[in-house]
Amino acid sequence: RQLGVPSASQPVHGQATQGKISWLGVLSGMGSGFTSMIAHAGSPPFQFYVMPKRLDRDMYVGTSVLFFAATNVMKAPAFFALGQLSISQLKTTLIFVPLAMASSWLGVRLVRSIDVRKFNVVITIILIAVSLLLIAQGVSGFMAARAMASGT
């Protein structure tokens, strides 16, 4: 639990989880994985499931980091198979490892300096903004495809 991942043996906020499957969690995880793979937009389904859990700030951040790290590891073979990821690209990304380490350290310091209540409000506002943006992009794409199909 200290790594940020609630386990079945350690329920979150007194919720009984042993022996039960959270279908909302399964569907949210599948939705997050799917939208992450096709549009790198896996956060809204993940947030839909996690935000009502009212995890403390550090547990929330740790859970998010580990969930999306695992999601990205699972996506890598598909990207290799599709030719969208190559060994030469991975070598190039090594240049950015120091920047990633420094920004991760800075992110941890920033998150720990923010008041928990303000953090939850900011996360909720960001989630709503991203959701509205994704909906607007989807509607715009749909309308453009429809216009192209009708020839106007």
Side-chain angles (χ1 to χ4, degrees), residues 17-78:
T17 57
Q18 289 181 322
K20 291 185 178 180
I21 294 176
S22 169
W23 290 108
L24 179 60
V26 170
L27 293 173
S28 295
M30 288 172 49
S32 184
F34 178 75
T35 55
S36 180
M37 183 67 186
I38 64 167
H40 302 292
S43 186
F46 173 81
Q47 300 297 341
F48 178 76
Y49 178 71
V50 173
M51 288 301 287
K53 300 276 184 208
R54 298 206 179 274
L55 302 176
D56 67 63
R57 179 191 62 215
D58 295 338
M59 179 70 76
Y60 171 81
V61 171
T63 301
S64 299
V65 167
L66 291 175
F67 177 82
F68 286 105
T71 300
N72 289 334
V73 166
M74 288 185 268
K75 292 183 333 187

Side-chain angles (χ1 to χ4, degrees), residues 144-152:
R146 192 172 180 197
M148 287 175 58
S150 67
T152 57

Side-chain angles (χ1 to χ4, degrees), residues 25 29 34 47 53 62 79 85-86 98 101 103 106-107 134 136 140 146:
F34 178 75
Q47 300 297 341
K53 300 276 184 208
F79 281 125
L85 189 60
S86 67
M101 298 297 283
S103 59
L106 184 62
L134 289 171
S140 175
R146 192 172 180 197

Side-chain angles (χ1 to χ4, degrees), residues 123-139:
I123 292 298
T124 302
I125 290 169
I126 290 171
L127 175 61
I128 291 168
V130 168
S131 298
L132 292 173
L133 179 65
L134 289 171
I135 290 168
Q137 288 176 346
V139 168

